[in-house]
Amino acid sequence: MPSIVKAIQLALQLDLFSDFLLPERRKTKPEAPELPPPAPKLITPPTNKNDDQQSSLPSLPFAPPREQTNAGIRRRILINGTVLEYDLQRSKRRSIGFLINDEGLRITAPRWVTINAIESAIHEKQNWILRKLSERHERTLRQREPVIVWGDGAKLAYLGNEIVVRIMNAPSTGVHFDSEANELHVRLPADTSEQQLKDLIRNWLQQQAKREFNERLPGYAEKLNVRYHSVSLSAATTRWGSCTSQGKIRLNWRLIHFSPLIIDYVIAHELAHLKEMNHSPRFWATVASIFPDFDIARRQLRQHATADFPNFK
């Protein structure tokens, strides 16, 4: 039995830059930082009303350790006094995979792996699992906050700061940013629709994103002594960026909402893939060689979700 557990633990891999535990298979086209997923599903055991250590997450009564669901076997495991609920699916894959999705934690494991071995792997990765579930819970709460009201006085995140939209009636459309007042002056005819206003602001933000990326990429490429083929904007909902072995870099234009620290981190991350097409310790050492504060920026980036962004549709 110990040899089986050891083999599983060796097969189990955690991509520190995504929300999945995947075997290392991305040799030619590495995956870039993922947008964090939505809401957790944690349940905590009943506690005394006077217990100051009660979790702020929703509490549900205990249930049998397993029940059949459409997704697989629903199981529960006790981790540091918290009952963690997860779906277990069996498959032909060679290693144990962890996924945080809309239902909480889902584990996919080979049919020959024992429950004891699976739960041993859960304990080994408990810090990652609980952190991801907690982040999802926080993002769910943020999604309940009021959405932006498009019009004069609307507030947007831009390069880590908050800017205010000021609308002025004019015969033709145009956008001008007053950096001193932190105001985005938008000129448009009186009969302009809300969607036209959003399109105008989104186009301006995308232009600024492209300008920022083109200004920052060459400096980091020179530090790393690499050449990239091209850079283009991405509107992906699951990735902040990507880089191919041919040096084609795509960066999510939504990064324009974030501080330059985060933008520089994603750029350094993608350029580092031109040296190391993986997420190995050598890769992270490469990132650190041109961006020593990458861990601070990475933690900040993981705190954000798509719910933090204005809806332009």
Side-chain angles (χ1 to χ4, degrees):
M1 182 64 68
S3 60
I4 296 178
V5 173
K6 184 175 180 181
I8 294 166
Q9 292 174 339
L10 288 174
L12 183 64
Q13 298 182 44
L14 171 63
D15 183 347
L16 296 178
F17 216 65
S18 74
D19 288 321
F20 296 82
L21 291 180
L22 300 169
E24 184 172 334
R25 64 183 185 274
R26 301 182 293 272
K27 298 300 183 184
T28 60
K29 188 177 180 181
E31 298 193 359
E34 293 195 358
L35 288 182
K41 192 171 183 179
L42 267 181
I43 53 178
T44 54
T47 56
N48 188 288
K49 292 182 179 179
N50 297 322
D51 187 356
D52 292 335
Q53 300 302 317
Q54 290 188 47
S55 171
S56 61
L57 298 175
S59 295
L60 298 176
F62 279 107
R66 39 183 295 153
E67 57 186 81
Q68 189 73 38
T69 68
N70 292 334
I73 301 296
R74 196 70 173 170
R75 299 188 62 88
R76 292 169 175 83
I77 181 175
L78 188 66
I79 297 182
N80 292 334
T82 297
V83 176
L84 175 66
E85 188 176 81
Y86 67 94
D87 278 325
L88 174 60
Q89 294 184 343
R90 297 292 188 172
S91 73
K92 296 181 180 179
R93 62 176 296 148
R94 298 180 180 180
S95 61
I96 302 175
F98 291 67
L99 169 65
I100 307 296
N101 61 17
D102 291 340
E103 300 301 320
L105 173 62
R106 186 180 75 192
I107 296 179
T108 307
R111 294 182 176 88
W112 52 268
V113 177
T114 66
I115 294 298
N116 285 341
I118 291 171
E119 296 194 344
S120 174
I122 293 175
H123 280 285
E124 180 183 349
K125 303 300 180 185
Q126 61 179 291
N127 291 337
W128 179 87
I129 293 169
L130 295 177
R131 173 170 54 82
K132 286 295 181 182
L133 290 172
S134 177
E135 288 174 359
R136 169 168 293 191
H137 177 66
E138 293 174 1
R139 284 191 292 272
T140 299
L141 295 178
R142 288 202 299 270
Q143 287 176 348
R144 299 172 186 171
E145 297 176 354
V147 297
I148 183 173
V149 178
W150 291 95
D152 188 70
K155 297 178 180 179
L156 300 171
Y158 175 66
L159 291 177
N161 297 314
E162 189 175 71
I163 63 175
V164 180
V165 176
R166 293 301 179 196
I167 297 178
M168 297 169 286
N169 291 333
S172 59
T173 59
V175 180
H176 169 71
F177 179 58
D178 184 341
S179 57
E180 292 186 2
N182 262 356
E183 292 181 345
L184 187 65
H185 297 166
V186 182
R187 302 186 308 275
L188 17 93
D191 59 349
T192 301
S193 68
E194 179 180 289
Q195 187 58 56
Q196 288 174 313
L197 169 63
K198 291 194 285 187
D199 290 344
L200 197 62
I201 294 176
R202 180 189 58 205
N203 291 340
W204 180 81
L205 288 171
Q206 290 175 341
Q207 291 172 8
Q208 301 311 304
K210 191 168 186 178
R211 177 183 58 78
E212 288 288 333
F213 299 158
N214 285 327
E215 285 181 358
R216 296 173 183 279
L217 270 161
Y220 284 105
E222 183 179 354
K223 288 181 181 179
L224 204 55
N225 195 26
V226 296
R227 285 189 175 185
Y228 56 93
H229 177 272
S230 61
V231 58
S232 59
L233 297 184
S234 162
T237 57
T238 58
R239 299 285 173 198
W240 293 119
S242 63
C243 177
T244 70
S245 57
Q246 292 77 33
K248 296 179 180 180
I249 294 176
R250 288 174 59 81
L251 298 171
N252 197 313
W253 71 266
R254 292 286 202 170
L255 288 167
I256 196 63
H257 294 302
F258 301 147
S259 68
L261 178 76
I262 292 178
I263 295 175
D264 286 346
Y265 161 58
V266 176
I267 288 174
H269 179 104
E270 299 311 330
L271 287 173
H273 279 310
L274 296 177
K275 290 273 192 179
E276 296 289 335
M277 303 299 287
N278 50 54
H279 288 124
S280 65
R282 289 179 61 181
F283 166 80
W284 291 112
T286 302
V287 175
S289 69
I290 58 172
F291 194 74
D293 293 331
F294 80 90
D295 202 36
I296 296 173
R298 180 170 61 167
R299 285 197 301 269
Q300 291 181 6
L301 184 60
R302 284 175 170 173
Q303 295 172 0
H304 293 284
T306 53
D308 299 328
F309 301 142
N311 184 3
F312 287 95
K313 294 183 180 179

